[in-house]
Amino acid sequence: DAGVTQSPTHLIKTRGQQVTLRCSPKSGHDTVSWYQQALGQGPQFIFQYYEEEERQRGNFPDRFSGHQFPNYSSELNVNALLLGDSALYLCASSLARKGGSPLHFGNGTRLTVT
Amino acid sequence: DAKTTQPNSMESNEEEPVHLPCNHSTISGTDYIHWYRQLPSQGPEYVIHGLTSNVNNRMASLAIAEDRKSSTLILHRATLRDAAVYYCILFHPYSGGGADGLTFGKGTHLIIQP
């Protein structure tokens, strides 16, 4: 049973460029959440997708956008990259239901902006 | 903003029990208490969660105070592989069937001495 997979594992971009990160959820999961984790900090919630729609959003600018596909996989797009966007980007999947379904995380994409 | 308070770090000896505390005085009646842990260079890993009653699983036990304003994660016999950052998080089930994003704090850095 494959867990959450993210690609690529590492990425180096230049300030001002755009980047797309990809996530495949755990088999059977239908909800995908994205997080940004700076060095030494806890993960910060970016947004969550369910039924191909953004359901919740954290305190991130519109430069951060996403998409969920019919097969539940998801993409995170970041436009006009800033040096401060350098971080580990984590994808987590879960099963949408009442009752606090646990999140399953991938190992993340390490983005470096130079 | 994180709604939980945890010690920055704790130290324990191998093969001894570990009690990791978490305060969540503003918890609401529908909030679940989730615990995750993160090893270096990996995404967070689900450990355990509960609502009102104490919970046990193969990884750990969760003791929830009667007023639900605090909880304790118990590792019954710590090993070197348990050295990680442990996050205590309040999880808000989304009435629409999805799930609210988890808000992570900085967590507790658990150090295990051999």
Side-chain angles (χ1 to χ4, degrees):
Chain A
D1 180 18
V4 178
T5 58
Q6 294 186 242
S7 63
T9 55
H10 296 82
L11 201 52
I12 299 175
K13 288 287 188 178
T14 303
R15 189 172 44 185
Q17 286 188 318
Q18 178 264 344
V19 68
T20 297
L21 310 181
R22 295 177 176 80
C23 172
S24 292
K26 178 180 170 64
S27 178
H29 284 185
D30 55 11
T31 302
V32 173
S33 303
W34 286 93
Y35 292 80
Q36 180 194 67
Q37 186 173 26
L39 273 175
Q41 305 293 318
Q44 298 300 304
F45 175 68
I46 302 174
F47 43 54
Q48 181 183 78
Y49 278 84
Y50 171 65
E51 293 186 337
E52 302 180 47
E53 290 187 358
E54 183 181 294
R55 297 297 291 268
Q56 300 285 336
R57 189 178 182 92
N59 188 25
F60 279 80
D62 292 344
R63 299 187 297 109
F64 290 77
S65 63
H67 189 77
Q68 185 180 34
F69 300 94
N71 66 354
Y72 307 118
S73 67
S74 178
E75 289 182 349
L76 164 66
N77 301 292
V78 186
N79 294 322
L81 284 167
L82 304 173
L83 296 179
D85 294 331
S86 294
L88 180 67
Y89 288 85
L90 295 161
C91 170
S93 71
S94 58
L95 184 61
R97 62 173 184 231
K98 293 181 182 179
S101 171
L103 296 183
H104 292 252
F105 284 84
N107 285 328
T109 295
R110 173 71 64 186
L111 173 65
T112 302
V113 182
T114 62
Chain B
D1 291 334
K3 298 180 179 179
T4 61
T5 304
Q6 299 176 255
N8 289 331
S9 65
M10 289 185 65
E11 197 168 313
S12 182
N13 295 319
E14 197 175 9
E15 299 187 2
E16 290 186 354
V18 179
H19 291 235
L20 296 166
C22 181
N23 289 318
H24 29 78
S25 58
T26 61
I27 191 170
S28 73
T30 56
D31 286 344
Y32 283 76
I33 301 160
H34 278 230
W35 283 83
Y36 293 79
R37 71 181 186 182
Q38 187 172 23
L39 279 67
S41 301
Q42 294 187 20
E45 174 190 25
Y46 167 75
V47 177
I48 199 167
H49 77 285
L51 184 60
T52 57
S53 303
N54 294 343
V55 184
N56 299 295
N57 66 20
R58 62 174 181 82
M59 291 181 68
S61 295
L62 176 60
I64 301 173
E66 195 169 335
D67 63 6
R68 301 212 318 131
K69 293 185 177 182
S70 65
S71 62
T72 302
L73 178 69
I74 303 166
L75 306 178
H76 294 287
R77 197 162 170 267
T79 70
L80 296 177
R81 289 175 295 179
D82 291 321
V85 178
Y86 286 78
Y87 296 100
C88 165
I89 300 133
L90 299 184
F91 190 102
H92 320 279
Y94 182 63
S95 59
D100 199 350
L102 298 174
T103 300
F104 286 72
K106 291 187 176 183
T108 295
H109 184 199
L110 177 63
I111 300 165
I112 304 296
Q113 296 290 354

